[in-house]
Amino acid sequence: MNQQRSYDAVIVGGGVIGLSCAWRLAQRGAEVAVVDRSRPPAGATRVAAGMLAPVGELAFGEPELLKLTLAAAELYPDFVAELERGSGVSTGYRRDGALHVALDRDEAAELRRTHQLQRSLGLGAEWLPPRRCRDLEPGLTPSFNGGVHAPGEGSVDPRALSAALLNVLEGEGVELLTGVAVEAALLDGGRVAGVRTGQGRELPAAAVVLAAGAWSGRAEWLPERARPPVRPVKGQILELRSRDGIPPCRRVVASERVYLVPRPDGRLIVGATVEEQGFDATVTAGGVHELLREAYRLLPEVAEVELVETAAGLRPGTPDNLPLVGPSGTDGLLWATGHYRNGILLAPLAANVLAEQLEGAPA
């Protein structure tokens, strides 16, 4: 292979954000390479639950994030349909809605407050008394204080999504360098002009896209001024499986402290802790206990299902919880990182934005 092949874009990071950006760029005729020190699904993608819930995850004081998540949710059906057609791989995409349940009076007061905000913004959400919640999810705990039903919410399997993206990238001729670390940036004066891998290969490029998730802020191969303000936020997660192949809930079910995401094959994802522990990605007994306890409080049937996997990952957090997508301030370098808890949801939007910004790059 020609070691001096030049690219329109080299993307550093093989999570769903990086792979989605690579796909959209390649579709526009760009010569693209993706470099990741792991093998996809990488980073936070590997342990994400895949909840697509802009309405249910609404938080006070984050109007800009809401605009982004709602826009991304609108893109998702077509994004997934196009991806599944091109790859022949099912992504596990479902749009069965989400039910956010208040387990006690304090949770009910907070959930009603959030629901008032949802209504004031014209979002699709309805307050339901316990009986109507049980009509939707018969397995709910016997005693709780009502819930909010968001019928437009959904979920996707991030690992399947990653597999589908890898398939279409191969078809588009994108070069995938996995298990390969970036050692240094190729610099042309003050401009980032490509990267050099730990294997000594140079990848010159018109643009380098930093999509390394939680590790973006520690990209020591970049000048310090070019590194984004991204920190790791640890999240532990569980995978359960029912014996009969039918998950104990039909749709996403959540309380104030836990969420449950069913998969079509009978698995149930339970997540997730939020821990400021630096780059520690250890699964802890306390984290597993917390998730199982809260899942049982919400849906007692989880006590009877198989515990298949425990995992921990690192989300890329930013000071204002907003993603960083676009020019970095350093010529030749763009960021596509900092998506925190919404990376899977925001992937199609991030990919479109980045592709539009690089559209003028030579093919």
Side-chain angles (χ1 to χ4, degrees):
M1 182 177 292
N2 182 3
Q3 296 294 300
Q4 294 305 311
R5 178 182 176 186
S6 183
Y7 301 88
D8 296 313
V10 170
I11 297 176
V12 181
V16 159
I17 295 293
L19 297 181
S20 298
C21 290
W23 183 35
R24 288 306 190 210
L25 287 169
Q27 286 181 315
R28 298 183 181 214
E31 291 285 336
V32 183
V34 177
V35 185
D36 197 290
R37 63 182 183 178
S38 302
R39 299 189 184 277
T45 298
R46 184 181 62 83
V47 297
M51 187 164 58
L52 308 174
V55 176
E57 291 283 283
L58 173 66
F60 287 89
E62 295 184 342
E64 291 302 318
L65 181 59
L66 176 64
K67 290 178 184 177
L68 295 177
T69 56
L70 288 173
E74 286 295 314
L75 294 173
Y76 234 91
D78 289 341
F79 173 74
V80 164
E82 181 185 0
L83 182 57
E84 291 185 341
R85 281 196 307 269
S87 66
V89 176
S90 172
T91 63
Y93 175 67
R94 305 172 65 174
R95 200 172 183 181
D96 294 327
L99 185 61
H100 297 260
V101 175
L103 293 176
D104 57 37
R105 289 183 180 180
D106 288 341
E107 289 188 16
E110 186 60 29
L111 187 58
R112 282 190 178 276
R113 183 167 170 259
T114 300
H115 183 234
Q116 289 173 357
L117 177 61
Q118 292 165 340
R119 291 184 61 187
S120 72
L121 296 171
L123 302 178
E126 180 185 9
W127 179 271
L128 300 179
R131 178 183 56 79
R132 290 190 59 195
C133 289
R134 285 199 193 89
D135 289 341
L136 295 175
E137 293 294 345
L140 287 171
T141 183
S143 178
F144 62 98
N145 290 65
V148 171
H149 181 219
E153 314 260 78
S155 64
V156 70
D157 184 340
R159 297 185 188 183
L161 186 67
S162 180
L165 285 164
L166 290 170
N167 186 293
V168 293
L169 290 181
E170 184 178 356
E172 292 283 353
V174 172
E175 186 169 1
L176 296 166
L177 290 80
T178 60
V180 176
V182 171
E183 182 179 76
L186 303 180
L187 300 176
D188 181 7
R191 180 179 179 278
V192 176
V195 301
R196 183 171 67 248
T197 72
Q199 299 174 340
R201 181 176 170 188
E202 293 190 351
L203 305 173
V208 172
V209 179
L210 179 62
W215 287 269
S216 298
R218 286 186 61 176
E220 296 181 357
W221 51 274
L222 282 170
E224 187 172 355
R225 70 180 185 281
R227 301 173 200 167
V230 171
R231 74 186 191 284
V233 182
K234 179 180 176 180
Q236 299 186 55
I237 203 163
L238 311 177
E239 181 180 310
L240 312 178
R241 182 185 291 120
S242 62
R243 298 176 186 179
D244 60 4
I246 302 174
C249 57
R250 177 184 171 187
R251 56 186 52 74
V252 172
V253 178
S255 71
E256 190 173 86
R257 296 182 177 87
V258 73
Y259 54 78
L260 312 176
V261 183
R263 299 277 192 254
D265 61 4
R267 288 177 295 147
L268 183 70
I269 310 302
V270 181
T273 64
V274 179
E275 306 171 55
E276 299 281 355
Q277 297 288 341
F279 284 89
D280 171 26
T282 304
V283 176
T284 65
V288 173
H289 172 72
E290 175 187 342
L291 292 172
L292 287 175
R293 180 192 67 222
E294 295 303 323
Y296 176 77
R297 290 183 65 214
L298 183 59
L299 205 68
E301 190 180 337
V302 300
E304 305 301 323
V305 302
E306 177 187 3
L307 176 60
V308 176
E309 182 182 357
T310 62
L314 302 174
R315 311 174 184 91
T318 61
D320 59 4
N321 290 337
L322 289 173
L324 301 168
V325 180
S328 67
T330 297
D331 192 22
L333 176 70
L334 291 93
W335 292 335
T337 186
H339 293 83
Y340 190 37
R341 293 164 56 96
N342 294 293
I344 304 301
L345 172 58
L346 290 172
L349 181 63
N352 287 354
V353 169
L354 194 80
E356 289 167 4
Q357 291 175 344
L358 287 177
E359 191 171 17

